[in-house]
Amino acid sequence: MLHAYRAALLHCLADPTQVPVDEAYAYFEDGLLVVADGKILAAGDASELLPRYPNIAINEYRDALITPGFIDTHIHYPQLGVIGSYGTQLLEWLETYTFPAEGRFADAEHARDIAERFLDELLRNGTTTALVFGSVHRQSVDAFFEAALARDLRMIAGKVLMDRNAPDYLTDTPESGYADSRALIERWHGKGRLHYAVTPRFAPTSSPEQLELAGKLFGEYPDLYMHTHLSENLKEIEWVKALFPERKGYLDVYDHHKLIGPRAVFAHGVHLCDEECQRLGESGSAVAFCPTSNLFIGSGLFDLPRVEGFGVRVGLGTDVGGGTSFSQLTTLSEAYKVLQLQGKNLDPFKALYLATLGGARALYLDERIGNFATGKDADFVVLDYKATPLMDFRLSQARNLKEKLFALMMLGDDRAVKETFAAGRSVHRRDH
Ligand code: GUN
Ligand code: ZN
């Protein structure tokens, strides 16, 4: 089945920090996106493409910009109910709010309810792919993948591994964590558009025995992910040093247990030393930059150009519930401010790259998602330039695409997402 979508069209072709910015994206003022069987068939100028597809059905959008679906490289679905919790930094925040909320996922019914709400929220914000923490309970991941499969989404998730320094009701053992993860991999990894991530929460909540088995598992299946936290908060880093005195530093704990390399994604990395950045880069690992979380729980300022300078792949993460928004637009607005506070900058095309093709590259999914190259998944979002009276007015003042895109990011959020498509199907319509 062929279908076309007509509006302004914008997608990234390369990293704007690697090539001249105007070679890093393609823009079609009156664009056409042609979709066949859930995949991109063509993207370009409407005037050029329309004669090639004379009888094609067209959805036409006014005052709208179509971009690839957003990619969230770090988020926790069991934390939906504690987003925006007052007054703490990381370790106290985990004990006060997060662990009790995650405890409720022993109940599969609760997990199914939150999984649906969580996916609704992602799609309302234009996010079509995410790398997602479950809870320690294997049924939390069953519930998540069931819900994602029913909507034919490309999603990556895993069961938390946590065998110490957490409440009893939230711990597994090295053996049970390994066996439960394996069972989930067998059931879900590669089904539909789903992928599994081996998910040790962070070094302090896993024994060396558990990390050893996690590393073994990461090497046992092709294309598995590894998803954890790294160097987020200064007290956390001190704690890791005390727990693992025999290791060179925080990253070395994961490195020692073979939890590094392509498809290993480390959330935060706010306080990395040069040697750690070097190792992340040369190993092909990725870091998820989570600005709203880093500001909200007071972790620190991530230095994007510095970390990228070591060749590290960086994606954008919301880190809900430590982060305060599901919106990648809002997250980019905070990313811009985080860099401003360090005397640095975030070009709007680079920002779009982070939320789309850069995220895909961080996840080694750039053959499948991230832009409108022919054959990629038809995951895309229709953004509304007139979402609010202020946006309408402000964007009308913009003199060129760059200014318009920047203002859209600084002011936009879920209200700017008019419609979201996954595998060519409409999965969210704002006005319905
Ligand atoms: N470090 C360990 N667990 C967590 C978590 O749930 N959220 C964040 N932001 N950091 C963590
Ligand atoms: Zn997190």
Side-chain angles (χ1 to χ4, degrees):
M1 260 293 282
L2 281 183
H3 204 98
Y5 302 86
R6 186 172 185 174
L9 217 63
L10 175 65
H11 67 135
C12 292
L13 306 173
D15 183 345
T17 34
Q18 302 292 326
V19 303
V21 174
D22 47 356
E23 290 169 26
Y25 67 90
Y27 176 65
F28 309 96
E29 180 89 42
D30 178 16
L32 197 76
L33 186 67
V34 184
V35 172
D37 302 321
K39 306 275 189 206
I40 305 293
L41 191 61
D45 277 316
S47 61
E48 255 175 57
L49 288 175
L50 282 172
R52 275 204 252 159
Y53 305 98
N55 298 317
I56 197 166
I58 302 178
N59 285 26
E60 207 168 315
Y61 302 92
R62 277 170 193 279
D63 302 308
L65 177 70
I66 297 181
T67 70
F70 299 133
I71 299 171
D72 189 338
T73 60
H74 179 66
I75 188 165
H76 301 252
Y77 105 82
Q79 296 176 14
L80 184 76
V82 294
I83 184 172
S85 291
Y86 175 72
T88 53
Q89 295 208 350
L90 179 63
L91 301 176
E92 197 188 344
W93 174 83
L94 284 172
E95 293 210 359
T96 312
Y97 302 111
T98 311
F99 288 158
E102 292 191 12
R104 296 184 60 195
F105 286 72
D107 173 5
E109 196 61 46
H110 178 70
R112 283 192 286 270
D113 173 45
I114 303 298
E116 295 294 346
R117 289 176 194 270
F118 176 85
L119 290 177
D120 286 347
E121 206 55 50
L122 283 180
L123 297 172
R124 287 185 61 250
N125 284 277
T127 298
T128 48
T129 289
L131 173 56
V132 181
F133 260 69
S135 73
V136 75
H137 316 92
R138 61 189 266 190
Q139 57 271 35
S140 76
V141 175
D142 281 325
F144 178 78
F145 277 143
E146 271 160 28
L149 185 69
R151 303 186 198 209
D152 195 11
L153 303 175
R154 188 171 291 288
M155 288 285 161
I156 314 165
K159 178 203 110 66
V160 166
L161 299 168
M162 181 154 66
D163 69 344
R164 65 172 178 175
N165 294 321
D168 288 346
Y169 62 83
L170 270 187
T171 49
D172 54 11
T173 66
E175 295 72 26
S176 76
Y178 176 84
D180 284 350
S181 302
R182 253 193 106 100
L184 288 166
I185 292 165
E186 297 282 347
R187 186 173 309 153
W188 296 108
H189 187 54
K191 194 166 188 170
R193 298 201 288 156
L194 306 176
H195 313 259
Y196 193 84
V198 176
T199 309
R201 176 170 220 115
F202 65 156
T205 47
S206 284
S207 63
E209 295 70 33
Q210 178 159 71
L211 294 174
E212 190 62 26
L213 281 177
K216 175 172 179 303
L217 184 59
F218 183 40
E220 280 175 341
Y221 291 83
D223 301 334
L224 273 186
Y225 288 82
M226 197 295 296
H227 187 195
T228 191
H229 297 91
L230 171 68
S231 279
E232 176 179 7
N233 164 289
L234 295 174
K235 281 194 186 147
E236 167 211 21
I237 295 168
E238 287 311 307
W239 195 20
V240 172
K241 282 187 189 149
L243 288 168
F244 298 90
E246 68 285 10
R247 301 273 69 91
K248 272 190 294 181
Y250 198 159
L251 180 64
D252 191 46
V253 174
Y254 298 127
D255 202 347
H256 178 78
H257 294 289
K258 302 192 168 64
L259 294 164
I260 194 168
R263 293 184 192 76
V265 181
F266 298 91
H268 308 296
V270 172
H271 306 286
L272 296 169
C273 67
D274 285 359
E275 199 181 325
E276 289 175 315
C277 293
Q278 180 75 31
R279 184 71 189 119
L280 287 168
E282 74 192 15
S283 64
S285 306
V287 168
F289 173 22
C290 306
T292 78
S293 168
N294 296 162
L295 295 171
F296 182 71
I297 52 180
S299 302
L301 304 175
F302 180 74
D303 188 343
L304 175 69
R306 173 177 167 258
V307 175
E308 283 194 331
F310 287 91
V312 181
R313 294 169 187 240
V314 179
L316 193 67
T318 61
D319 193 29
V320 165
T324 47
S325 173
F326 276 81
S327 169
Q328 295 284 75
L329 298 174
T330 300
T331 303
L332 287 172
S333 161
E334 299 308 291
Y336 179 82
K337 297 166 198 167
V338 162
L339 293 175
Q340 276 283 48
L341 283 169
Q342 301 172 89
K344 303 195 178 181
N345 215 281
L346 182 62
D347 175 275
F349 295 104
K350 172 71 180 190
L352 178 70
Y353 176 81
L354 284 175
T356 58
L357 188 59
R361 239 192 115 241
L363 299 176
Y364 289 81
L365 285 174
D366 46 318
E367 299 279 296
R368 298 174 181 276
I369 55 173
N371 69 8
F372 296 141
T374 300
K376 288 198 185 181
D377 298 351
D379 291 352
F380 58 96
V381 46
V382 183
L383 301 172
D384 179 4
Y385 284 140
K386 295 182 183 284
T388 69
L390 178 63
M391 283 180 70
D392 183 4
F393 178 66
R394 172 65 182 91
L395 270 55
S396 75
Q397 308 298 304
R399 290 164 302 180
N400 53 43
L401 174 65
K402 183 175 175 176
E403 287 188 3
K404 205 163 170 178
L405 183 62
F406 185 66
L408 173 68
M409 286 165 173
M410 294 307 108
L411 301 177
D413 51 30
D414 54 330
R415 293 169 298 179
V417 176
K418 190 174 178 61
E419 191 159 4
T420 306
F421 290 82
R425 283 180 41 242
S426 176
V427 285
H428 163 68
R429 268 198 281 179
R430 186 190 62 192
D431 303 328
H432 282 246

